[in-house]
Amino acid sequence: MSNLPKLLTDRSALFLDFDGTLADLARRPDAVEVHPELVDLLHGLYQRLDGALALITGRAREDLEPLLASPWPWPAAFEHGAVRLSLHGDNANTRPFGLSRAVQAAEHLVARHSGLLLERKQTSIALHYRLAPTLETLCVDTLARAIAQEPGLQLLRGKAVVEVKSAGVSKGTAIEAFMQEAPFQGRVPIFAGDDVTDEAGFDVVQRLGGDGIKVGDGATRARHRCAHPQALREWLGSALHLSNSPP
């Protein structure tokens, strides 16, 4: 893989996933711990790039604000792009038709099986089975049946989680939308993510002449890779330090 520090320049547009990318994964999403210097790092990068930094995450805004910053200070796409905040205003999809059937099916599983966690969002749901890995097939099959007759919904699998979301949105479509607006427009996009849910984002940035960075193990279409979130944070910190160094 290429040397990551050479990727980030003053003409970059930087897109960053959160869980497993900026922050280490935890046994439960509400147990994730944020590195003490992460918020300052993001603020520094945001200033260096003249605002061309956005978080691209599957999380709901109300879940991420308490972990990072409130009020929210940066452009971002939440819920895999269904809720997007930019300098040009907020853009949120409505709750997709048919989601209630998936919610009921997931609630039934959570009531019957310990170790499952249901995350309810504005436009989607996420059923986590990290504490009950043997229930993976049951979770996937149950939600797949629940949305089988709903063409507007999509099943999305990730690391110990299966989600139901709108079929027309993805992290890739969110990045494309940002790239058509200032201050991202005309820049070279970079996207870092860790999961199969980030592959759509890698595809978009690389099609637009930029670079994808896969954090951690696993097959990927990203051109670059780093070992873990700490390594990515160190790379971002080094890039920011170099940009602030005197000539």
Side-chain angles (χ1 to χ4, degrees):
M1 295 291 181
S2 298
N3 189 8
L4 291 185
K6 295 180 181 179
L7 296 178
L8 191 64
T9 73
D10 290 337
R11 294 305 304 158
S12 297
L14 184 59
F15 301 99
L16 299 166
D17 174 46
F18 178 71
D19 292 284
T21 299
L22 289 174
D24 295 288
L25 292 173
R27 290 174 64 81
R28 293 171 54 99
D30 54 2
V32 166
E33 296 183 359
V34 175
H35 192 273
E37 298 179 357
L38 179 58
V39 173
D40 288 341
L41 174 61
L42 292 174
H43 278 304
L45 291 166
Y46 180 72
Q47 293 172 357
R48 174 192 168 178
L49 297 172
D50 295 324
L53 174 147
L55 269 66
I56 311 291
T57 176
R59 288 230 191 196
R61 176 178 178 175
E62 56 268 26
D63 291 337
L64 204 50
E65 274 191 329
L67 295 176
L68 288 180
S70 181
W72 190 264
W74 313 288
F78 302 97
E79 303 186 29
H80 299 283
V83 178
R84 195 170 68 88
L85 311 179
S86 77
L87 299 180
H88 308 276
D90 300 354
N91 185 354
N93 287 26
T94 58
R95 182 181 174 91
F97 180 80
L99 186 63
S100 58
R101 185 185 298 272
V103 172
Q104 292 172 0
E107 288 176 339
H108 183 63
L109 284 181
V110 170
R112 290 175 53 206
H113 301 281
S114 62
L116 297 182
L117 174 66
L118 177 59
E119 186 181 359
R120 298 172 180 85
K121 310 175 191 181
Q122 180 177 334
T123 67
S124 61
I125 62 168
L127 182 59
H128 298 265
Y129 51 85
R130 187 175 301 277
L131 298 179
T134 59
L135 299 178
E136 175 182 2
T137 299
L138 177 63
C139 292
V140 172
D141 290 349
T142 298
L143 291 186
R145 287 194 300 270
I147 66 170
Q149 304 302 317
E150 302 293 348
L153 295 176
Q154 177 187 22
L155 198 72
L156 188 65
R157 299 183 64 173
K159 292 180 177 177
V161 62
V162 56
E163 304 191 44
V164 175
K165 69 174 188 67
S166 298
V169 298
S170 71
K171 293 185 178 183
T173 59
I175 291 173
E176 282 188 299
F178 278 122
M179 289 299 295
Q180 295 173 19
E181 304 171 345
F184 301 91
Q185 193 172 33
R187 290 173 172 263
V188 179
I190 296 172
F191 175 49
D194 73 303
D195 207 346
V196 293
T197 59
D198 299 310
E199 292 297 316
F202 297 148
D203 286 342
V204 166
V205 297
Q206 291 175 172
R207 174 167 53 81
L208 295 176
D211 291 282
I213 302 172
K214 167 77 170 184
V215 180
D217 298 329
T220 184
R221 294 188 290 275
R223 295 194 184 107
H224 307 275
R225 189 188 297 270
C226 65
H228 40 64
Q230 180 181 344
L232 183 76
R233 293 192 300 266
E234 290 173 353
W235 169 67
L236 292 171
S238 296
L240 180 61
H241 174 73
L242 289 173
S243 72
N244 293 331
S245 298

